[in-house]
Amino acid sequence: AGGGEVKSGKVKHKSRGRKPTTGPKAAGKGSGKGKKSPKETKRSKGAGKGSGSKKEATATKRKAEPPVDEPEAKKGKILSAKQKRKKEITKLYSELINPGRTLKADVIVKDILEALSKRSSTMAEYCSTNLGARVIEACLKWGTKEQRQDLLSRCSGELPKMAQDRYGHQVVLKLLLYASK
């Protein structure tokens, strides 16, 4: 009946010597500029129909390695003194902002302030960096009243300069917020 055979209620269409049109060329026949769909690219890379061995990509999650006391020796990297100081402050900062910290916040702030007092740069110069501003803001937030007053006294001479700085203005705002508490 009219181009197809009827078997058990299903209609099968006869192919007339052409491959069935599927994929990107089915919509815009003959354009030739269509990109391959992701399915077609996977098929072309695979082994083929008859081989029976399909590659299945299995993703494995990386497990976090336990912290090592001497990562420099393990990786073979040698850090300069400046990099070591920055890493030390970064570790203290990450411990300070961690809600499940083991040490009390004021002890960590005291360690950070001691490390910062050893630096040759002024507090305003340190606050003008992204990391420095974040560290000082965290110290203001979680430090004791005496530690906040100490930070205010260190920065008091250079507040106008800090207020105009890209990162320093955030520290000035936090000083105004937390210094009175």
Side-chain angles (χ1 to χ4, degrees), residues 28-169:
K29 289 185 180 181
S31 67
K33 294 183 181 179
K35 291 185 179 180
K36 288 186 175 183
S37 68
K39 287 184 179 179
E40 286 184 16
T41 56
K42 287 180 184 175
R43 286 184 197 144
S44 63
K45 290 179 185 176
K49 286 185 179 179
S51 67
S53 62
K54 290 186 178 180
K55 284 188 176 179
E56 291 186 16
T58 56
T60 56
K61 290 186 177 180
R62 292 185 183 180
K63 294 181 180 176
E65 295 179 13
V68 181
D69 290 341
E70 293 296 324
E72 295 86 20
K74 184 179 178 184
K75 294 180 183 176
K77 292 184 180 179
I78 299 172
L79 299 177
S80 67
K82 184 177 179 180
Q83 290 171 327
K84 286 180 183 178
R85 286 193 308 264
K86 184 176 180 180
K87 194 169 191 174
E88 176 189 359
I89 290 176
T90 305
K91 282 183 181 180
L92 288 170
Y93 170 70
S94 63
E95 177 70 21
L96 180 61
I97 63 172
N98 182 10
R101 57 182 165 258
T102 55
L103 296 173
K104 288 189 174 183
D106 59 334
V107 174
I108 299 170
V109 171
K110 185 184 87 153
D111 292 341
I112 290 173
L113 293 177
E114 285 176 6
L116 291 178
S117 65
K118 295 175 187 174
R119 299 177 72 92
S120 61
S121 64
T122 64
M123 186 64 72
E125 289 173 356
Y126 186 66
C127 290
S128 65
T129 64
N130 188 8
L131 176 68
R134 288 176 178 266
V135 168
I136 299 301
E137 287 172 34
C139 289
L140 287 168
K141 184 174 182 179
W142 284 296
T144 62
K145 187 171 185 173
E146 293 80 23
Q147 291 168 336
R148 291 178 186 147
Q149 292 297 322
D150 180 38
L151 282 170
L152 179 62
S153 65
R154 287 188 193 184
C155 299
S156 62
E158 302 177 31
L159 283 178
K161 179 184 173 188
M162 287 172 56
Q164 295 174 349
D165 187 64
R166 179 179 181 182
Y167 301 110
H169 78 280

